[in-house]
Amino acid sequence: MSIGARGLAAKQLKATLSMTQTHPRTGQPSLSAVRAFEAAARLGNFTEAAEELRLTQSAVSRHVRTLEDWFAVPLFTRRGRYVDLTAAGRDYFTRVAEGLNCIRAANDAMLSRGRREDQVTFSLLPSVAALWLAPSLADFTGRHPEIDLRIHASRALADLRRDGIDVAMRYGRGGWPGVHTELLAHEMLTPVCTPDFAERHGITADPASLIGVNLLMDDIPSGWANWMKAAGLDAARMKLGPRFDEGTSLYRAATAGVGVALGRSLLVEHDLAEGRLVAPIPVSVASTCSYWLVRAEGQVPNRATTVLANWLRDCLRSASNRAGLALAPATA
């Protein structure tokens, strides 16, 4: 073979290898890429798909691009933060979603075989776990010593199937996809502080006595704003801060005499009952968020999950009946 022919053959081989790497026609694309595509197609947003899958947005984008390169067909059209499926993408999504649902169902069936009837993993916010569940837990363990309770406390929204969560108690407005929800209770908000703080700052039953006092902030949407409106106060005259992004720190600051917190009725129940906090102003407003009992859609609860869910319902019903606690029981 001449030098020129050898050079041409080398170039053709290089091109063939490049095409094979870019458009592999054997085997199957990775399941990770398929899952990323399915989530992005279902949610219509790469960022939300990344949050659900606990990936970065760029990782989801790379997975989708891998599929598009694999098939040599565009699956999405991009428009800013959002994406729309192409005709090919819609057809692929229909088939892929059905397949992934079958896989999830098979996984759930296998998990139920190996799941112990006396074990339950319970997910909830750290603030609810520390301020309400922990002080109440002796009642549950005393009534049900045979139950192996595993507590998963996190601010991150748990993926119930992936994280092995049997049941969760969520605080929000509901409407989460892929889960069965039961409204447990609404909640009321009212200012709370230590008895000493109230005395030193002259806080009385008059809402205006809070003017000039540190009002501790948290991440409850419009909490203080709604309360001030109900109390007839001008927000511009109020002293707001410090701000906390987690309830446990907020109420520990209140019990340390740092300021006045807007007390969530469930979370301040024990501190009020034991005298660490007082609610001197008889004005309460409903929270924009409620407590929900949540489990994965289609998952049949085991005995331990049923026992825990019934105990939670009873506890919240009892809490709503105790004097000084404005926790409205759910009616839906």
Side-chain angles (χ1 to χ4, degrees):
M1 182 182 294
S2 67
I3 295 176
R6 285 198 298 270
L8 179 60
K11 289 182 179 179
Q12 289 174 336
L13 177 60
K14 183 178 180 181
T16 301
L17 289 172
S18 176
M19 184 177 296
T20 302
Q21 292 166 357
T22 305
H23 303 290
R25 297 298 182 182
T26 60
Q28 296 290 330
S30 75
L31 185 58
S32 295
V34 175
R35 289 182 66 232
F37 163 78
E38 187 272 341
R42 173 167 39 83
L43 299 170
N45 184 298
F46 282 12
T47 301
E48 291 182 18
E51 291 174 356
E52 179 177 298
L53 298 174
R54 295 187 181 178
L55 299 173
T56 63
Q57 189 272 345
S58 59
V60 171
S61 183
R62 283 195 301 272
H63 279 313
V64 170
R65 181 64 65 188
T66 296
L67 284 180
E68 291 179 323
D69 289 345
W70 183 286
F71 297 121
V73 171
L75 300 173
F76 290 103
T77 56
R78 277 77 169 171
R79 48 182 183 88
R81 293 178 58 247
Y82 298 94
V83 290
D84 293 316
L85 287 166
T86 62
R90 284 193 297 273
D91 181 59
Y92 187 56
F93 171 68
T94 299
R95 300 181 182 207
V96 161
E98 182 179 350
L100 288 178
N101 285 335
C102 287
I103 292 174
R104 293 186 187 105
N107 289 341
D108 286 344
M110 290 304 294
L111 282 172
S112 65
R113 286 189 179 187
R115 188 173 49 165
R116 289 166 40 191
E117 284 295 312
D118 64 347
Q119 180 178 303
V120 56
T121 300
F122 179 37
S123 174
L124 70 172
L125 287 168
S127 57
V128 181
L131 299 174
W132 177 74
L133 179 66
S136 306
L137 207 50
D139 179 72
F140 179 81
T141 57
R143 291 171 182 265
H144 306 286
E146 78 286 0
I147 299 298
D148 180 6
L149 175 62
R150 313 289 179 90
I151 297 169
H152 178 274
S154 173
R155 282 179 57 83
L157 197 63
D159 183 313
L160 303 186
R161 281 193 172 87
R162 182 185 60 217
D163 297 337
I165 305 299
D166 295 296
V167 65
M169 183 173 172
R170 288 184 180 174
Y171 188 64
R173 300 180 182 180
W176 299 284
V179 295
H180 170 79
T181 59
E182 174 191 339
L183 180 59
L184 284 175
H186 306 294
E187 188 167 53
M188 305 300 289
L189 307 174
T190 192
V192 295
C193 62
T194 64
D196 179 67
F197 188 92
E199 183 177 351
R200 284 189 290 111
H201 292 83
I203 299 174
T204 66
D206 182 2
S209 63
L210 289 184
I211 295 174
V213 173
N214 281 342
L215 302 184
L216 305 178
M217 302 283 287
D218 64 4
D219 56 359
I220 302 299
S222 306
W224 272 118
N226 289 344
W227 185 87
M228 290 175 200
K229 183 177 180 181
L233 295 175
D234 180 2
R237 302 181 63 192
M238 309 307 290
K239 184 180 178 182
L240 300 175
R243 181 184 293 271
F244 299 83
D245 68 354
E246 201 277 320
T248 307
S249 301
L250 171 75
Y251 296 118
R252 291 289 73 89
T255 56
V258 176
V260 179
L262 192 58
R264 287 168 49 186
S265 51
L266 192 67
L267 299 194
V268 298
E269 174 190 2
H270 293 287
D271 284 328
L272 288 173
E274 296 172 14
R276 288 184 292 271
L277 294 174
V278 293
I281 301 174
V283 177
S284 298
V285 295
S287 172
T288 56
C289 298
S290 302
Y291 291 100
W292 303 77
L293 196 64
V294 179
R295 56 182 171 80
E297 202 166 46
Q299 180 174 315
V300 178
N302 65 356
R303 189 181 71 83
T305 300
T306 301
V307 168
L308 177 62
N310 288 336
W311 179 80
L312 289 170
R313 296 184 189 101
D314 289 343
C315 280
L316 291 174
R317 191 177 301 113
S318 297
S320 69
N321 294 328
R322 277 192 286 270
L325 181 66
L327 182 69
T331 57

